[in-house]
């Protein structure tokens, strides 16, 4: 959750979390296997398959871990709710930020739920893969993953027999990645996680329905958009180009693979566009509802 936490504190926190979710499984064997499985996922295991995870945690075969995932009775959404409550207790802050993004998992076969040839941002190309949408929660106290949804392409949702074979619930229909992100944001808002901000990449930012959803929900947001994005007529790269050099403040977003990552934030000056501030060439920030923004805009006119 935080980069500067000693290993002993991580161990203690993990045990606390296991105790919190233990009641979700009535038998001790699944609880032990769940603990081993999570430790394996967090450990230095090259490939996170059942064989290598079992070897890492000291099991002679992967049968126990496979039974946990395929046959044991436990409800993942209930454990998600427990995790969110735990994160809220340890990291919660009124200015918390929800971060949504999708991740691809490259696969070799065709039977894993949702797998097909599709673009994976993780791989940077079209691959045979699964895509999942994740939600993370971040404050000045740390950060943690708090929700997930598996993306099912229409090639799956239109094939009832294939979904049945993969044990996908019958009521599960097609939903876009942004639909899944919206559902997770609404769940977080209804749960214990205090948050006032949402951030997402251009796949969500260029979707006007997603931005309207955030505005109607009353959440402030920062989303990436392509430079061709239009803002009340002009393209965003044109509007940004009108701001003088002194209107920008250079900030670091932390270190990346090629060193420090910098963004320029517009802080005022010329080319004001209805109170919005843009991050250089990719981002847009809007706060509050459209009605409040229109009122503020009329007050400045």
């Amino acid at each position: 959750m935080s980069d500067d936490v000693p290993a002993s504190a991580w161990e203690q926190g993990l045990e606390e979390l296991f105790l919190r979710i233990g009641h979700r499984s009535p038998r001790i064997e699944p609880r032990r296997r769940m603990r081993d499985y999570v430790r394996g996922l967090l450990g230095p295991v090259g490939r996170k398959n059942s064989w290598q995870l079992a070897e890492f945690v000291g099991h002679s075969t992967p049968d126990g871990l496979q039974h946990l995932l395929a046959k044991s009775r436990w409800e993942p959404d209930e454990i998600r709710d427990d995790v969110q409550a735990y994160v809220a207790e340890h990291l919660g802050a009124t200015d918390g930020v929800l971060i949504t993004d999708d991740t691809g998992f490259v696969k070799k076969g065709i039977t894993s739920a949702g797998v097909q040839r599709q673009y994976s941002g993780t791989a940077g190309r079209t691959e045979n893969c699964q895509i999942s949408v994740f939600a993370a929660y971040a404050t000045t106290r740390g950060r943690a993953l708090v929700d997930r949804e598996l993306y099912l392409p229409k090639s799956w949702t239109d094939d009832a027999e294939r979904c049945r074979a993969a044990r996908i619930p019958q009521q599960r229909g097609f939903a876009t990645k942004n639909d899944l992100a919206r559902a997770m944001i609404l769940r977080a808002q209804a749960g214990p996680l205090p948050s006032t901000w949402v951030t997402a990449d251009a796949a969500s930012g260029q979707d006007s329905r997603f931005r309207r959803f955030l505005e109607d929900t009353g959440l402030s947001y920062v989303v990436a958009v392509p430079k061709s994005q239009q803002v009340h007529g002009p393209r965003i790269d044109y509007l940004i180009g009108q701001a003088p050099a002194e209107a920008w403040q250079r900030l670091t977003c932390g270190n990346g693979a090629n060193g420090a990552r910098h963004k320029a934030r517009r802080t005022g000056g010329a080319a004001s566009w209805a109170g919005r501030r843009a991050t250089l060439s990719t981002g847009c920030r809007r706060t509050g509802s459209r009605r409040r923004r229109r009122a503020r805009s009329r007050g400045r006119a």
Side-chain angles (χ1 to χ4, degrees):
M1 292 181 183
S2 180
D3 294 331
D4 55 357
V5 175
S8 58
W10 278 92
E11 185 73 20
Q12 181 180 350
L14 201 56
E15 284 302 320
E16 180 186 343
L17 185 57
F18 285 138
L19 288 173
R20 182 185 292 257
I21 67 177
H23 70 287
R24 299 300 185 183
S25 178
R27 296 175 57 83
I28 191 170
E29 294 88 351
R31 293 201 295 269
R32 288 174 174 171
R33 290 166 182 165
M34 190 177 296
R35 178 184 280 102
D36 289 342
Y37 184 70
V38 172
R39 291 185 186 281
L41 291 176
L42 296 175
V45 182
R47 294 186 62 195
K48 309 289 186 179
N49 58 43
S50 295
W51 275 102
Q52 294 200 21
L53 292 174
E55 182 179 358
F56 177 79
V57 298
H59 294 196
S60 58
T61 73
D63 295 349
L65 298 184
Q66 290 174 346
H67 186 276
L68 170 71
L69 299 177
K71 296 181 180 179
S72 291
R73 287 183 172 273
W74 53 280
E75 177 50 59
D77 287 347
E78 293 178 351
I79 294 180
R80 175 206 60 212
D81 294 342
D82 291 339
V83 169
Q84 289 193 1
Y86 175 82
V87 170
E89 290 176 15
H90 290 269
L91 303 182
T94 55
D95 59 349
V97 181
L98 289 170
I99 306 139
T100 62
D101 198 5
D102 61 84
T103 298
F105 303 93
V106 177
K107 297 288 183 178
K108 292 184 178 179
I110 60 172
T111 58
S112 297
V115 70
Q116 72 167 22
R117 285 192 60 79
Q118 54 193 326
Y119 180 77
S120 165
T122 311
R125 58 185 180 273
T126 299
E127 285 278 5
N128 187 63
C129 65
Q130 294 170 300
I131 300 290
S132 288
V133 183
F134 292 91
Y137 180 75
T139 69
T140 55
R141 302 169 64 186
R143 59 194 180 277
L145 289 173
V146 293
D147 208 345
R148 80 290 170 254
E149 285 286 356
L150 178 66
Y151 170 68
L152 294 178
K154 288 184 177 180
S155 62
W156 276 81
T157 56
D158 290 345
D159 190 336
E161 183 57 38
R162 193 181 188 189
C163 288
R164 231 181 343 262
R167 299 185 181 181
I168 296 171
Q170 186 176 1
Q171 67 271 22
R172 178 69 187 271
F174 175 74
T176 68
K177 300 181 185 73
N178 285 341
D179 289 336
L180 300 177
R182 281 194 289 267
M184 290 190 291
I185 291 169
L186 288 174
R187 278 201 297 264
Q189 289 287 288
L193 292 170
S195 56
T196 54
W197 286 88
V198 170
T199 185
D201 65 10
S204 297
Q206 65 185 340
D207 182 350
S208 61
R209 293 176 302 170
F210 183 79
R211 299 196 307 272
R212 284 197 298 270
F213 157 74
L214 295 177
E215 294 166 10
D216 293 340
T217 310
L219 290 164
S220 300
Y221 64 85
V222 176
V223 294
V225 295
K227 65 181 182 181
S228 59
Q229 185 78 34
Q230 291 185 308
V231 181
H232 298 299
R235 287 169 41 131
I236 194 169
D237 55 350
Y238 171 79
L239 292 173
I240 289 173
Q242 305 306 301
E246 61 269 21
W248 296 93
Q249 180 183 8
R250 190 171 177 83
L251 303 173
T252 178
C253 298
N255 293 324
N258 299 314
R261 296 173 298 176
H262 291 95
K263 294 289 184 181
R265 186 183 71 174
R266 183 176 172 276
T267 58
S272 174
W273 33 291
R276 295 172 178 80
R277 290 188 292 183
T279 55
L280 184 58
S281 75
T282 58
C284 159
R285 173 190 176 197
R286 298 182 180 180
T287 57
S289 67
R290 283 172 286 178
R291 184 179 299 173
R292 292 201 304 271
R293 288 202 316 278
R294 291 194 189 105
R296 288 198 300 268
S297 181
R298 286 195 298 268
R300 285 192 296 268

